[in-house]
Amino acid sequence: MVNYIGFCESFKEQYEIIGRSSKEVYTFIFVLNIIFSIMAIFGNILIIDALRRCCSLHSPSKALLFSLAFSDLCVGCMAQPLFVIHRLAALKSNYHLYCIAGIGSNFAGSTVVVASFLTTTAIAVDRYLALHLRFRYREVVKLNRVVRVLFACWLASLIWSSLWFLNRGVQDILRIVLFLVCLLTTTLSYLVIYKHIRRRQFCVSQRIGRAFLPATGSFNPIRFRRSVSSMFYIYCFLLVCYLPYTCIIVFVNRYQLTPLTLALNSAFCSLLFFNSALSPFVFCRRIQEIRETVRRTLPLLLAW
């Protein structure tokens, strides 16, 4: 009972500033987060169910997408409700609840967001391996290997989130390192794939489309290009939602807190959470197999 109070000291200044801030701004942010939370929960449950039913997707690819959808579901179920309770408790001058919800929000939010970012990086590497290995891809990229990689991603996320209790300075440094490593790895993977696709398109124009005839082997270039495009969209949305929050966190840690910076912190955190509500729509829009499965499942759920 006494121990967790020590972890709340970093919240104390925020608590005092939020308590005297504009209630209308935070009420608007709360309403948005409640809507995003509901969208994330139901949308990602649909995606997880669609992945379970879909048989045409490669099993390792399904595992990667499942991890991404599961992390988004956790955002809607845990991170966003705790975030709303955390900020609302400050407006209601309930420091005890503010403290407990703050610890839960920081730990749960950090864990699932980092897991999502690492999974997105793993997906980019998976697409690069599909290009590099070609016909050997299904022999090398097995389901059990992908599961071990995903387990390592979630374990790394838990360890990184636990550093908040042990050494926040180290956690802040690792935040930047982790972000840069994931950003560099993912960007380089998609850049190599993009160059290959452009080169192949040039060959198509030179050979009157012969290079894009249906593939006879297990590597289908048309399907591969579509899958890369889908995963790249998901990566871009995650990056757009993640980058502003990372910048404001670095700014808040270096400079004095003000009502404006805390309001921006809450707004950018909401934008980061919005990615979890948006992802199911991107899945359905960009991945045909999932879209068709959801289209068959949704009427049954509405009728029920």
Side-chain angles (χ1 to χ4, degrees):
M1 187 76 173
V2 179
N3 291 336
Y4 76 84
I5 297 295
F7 298 120
C8 298
E9 288 301 317
S10 60
F11 296 143
K12 197 165 187 180
E13 187 179 0
Q14 296 182 22
Y15 173 79
E16 295 170 352
I17 294 175
I18 294 174
R20 57 176 186 266
S21 298
S22 171
K23 288 181 171 57
E24 290 77 13
V25 172
Y26 282 96
T27 301
F28 177 71
I29 291 174
F30 296 157
V31 172
L32 283 181
N33 275 278
I34 291 170
I35 295 172
F36 295 160
S37 177
I38 295 171
M39 291 170 59
I41 292 171
F42 286 101
N44 286 289
I45 286 176
L46 274 175
I47 297 301
I48 290 172
D49 181 68
L51 288 170
R52 183 181 62 85
R53 295 170 182 268
C54 186
C55 299
S56 57
L57 288 174
H58 189 212
S59 294
S61 298
K62 285 173 64 174
L64 290 166
L65 294 176
F66 177 86
S67 176
L68 195 59
F70 180 72
S71 64
D72 289 335
L73 177 62
C74 290
V75 168
C77 289
M78 296 187 297
Q80 278 185 289
L82 287 170
F83 169 78
V84 171
I85 294 171
H86 176 57
R87 296 295 200 268
L88 184 61
L91 292 179
K92 297 296 182 180
S93 301
N94 189 334
Y95 185 72
H96 178 73
L97 180 60
Y98 178 82
C99 178
I100 295 174
I103 293 174
S105 176
N106 272 271
F107 185 79
S110 298
T111 301
V112 295
V113 168
V114 171
S116 180
F117 209 70
L118 290 174
T119 302
T120 305
T121 304
I123 290 173
V125 174
D126 171 72
R127 293 297 82 200
Y128 169 77
L129 290 176
L131 172 68
H132 182 69
L133 298 174
R134 296 292 184 91
F135 302 109
R136 294 181 56 243
Y137 169 73
R138 291 180 181 268
E139 299 176 7
V140 175
V141 181
K142 300 288 188 180
L143 178 60
N144 59 343
R145 293 176 179 173
V146 171
V147 170
R148 285 198 291 266
V149 170
L150 291 175
F151 177 79
C153 290
W154 280 91
L155 181 61
S157 303
L158 286 169
I159 293 173
W160 183 81
S161 299
S162 300
L163 286 174
W164 186 80
F165 300 100
L166 303 174
N167 193 323
R168 294 176 195 175
V170 173
Q171 189 195 41
D172 289 337
I173 294 173
L174 288 179
R175 181 199 305 274
I176 299 173
V177 172
L178 183 67
F179 176 75
L180 291 177
V181 169
C182 290
L183 179 65
L184 185 63
T185 303
T186 307
T187 304
L188 286 177
S189 297
Y190 283 124
L191 186 61
V192 170
I193 294 170
Y194 172 76
K195 287 185 175 181
H196 171 82
I197 291 175
R198 286 296 301 269
R199 192 183 312 119
R200 189 174 185 86
Q201 287 176 336
F202 177 77
C203 292
V204 171
S205 64
Q206 295 297 315
R207 299 178 187 178
I208 320 177
R210 279 165 46 196
F212 274 96
L213 289 175
T216 57
S218 59
F219 181 82
N220 189 320
I222 299 177
R223 187 172 182 177
F224 172 75
R225 184 176 62 177
R226 191 174 69 233
S227 71
V228 168
S229 175
S230 303
M231 295 304 102
F232 183 70
Y233 271 96
I234 292 172
Y235 163 67
C236 287
F237 280 120
L238 178 63
L239 190 62
V240 167
C241 295
Y242 188 85
L243 190 57
Y245 179 72
T246 301
C247 294
I248 196 66
I249 283 293
V250 173
F251 182 85
V252 166
N253 288 340
R254 287 178 59 90
Y255 299 100
Q256 186 177 4
L257 288 173
T258 65
L260 177 60
T261 55
L262 273 181
L264 288 174
N265 178 280
S266 298
F268 289 151
C269 187
S270 302
L271 176 64
L272 177 59
F273 290 152
F274 174 64
N275 177 73
S276 299
L278 186 65
S279 290
F281 294 99
V282 180
F283 275 118
C284 290
R285 176 68 180 86
R286 302 297 308 178
I287 304 177
Q288 182 181 357
E289 294 85 351
I290 293 179
R291 182 171 64 251
E292 292 174 353
T293 306
V294 170
R295 190 177 295 167
R296 291 194 300 267
T297 305
L298 195 56
L300 298 176
L301 292 176
L302 294 176
W304 185 81

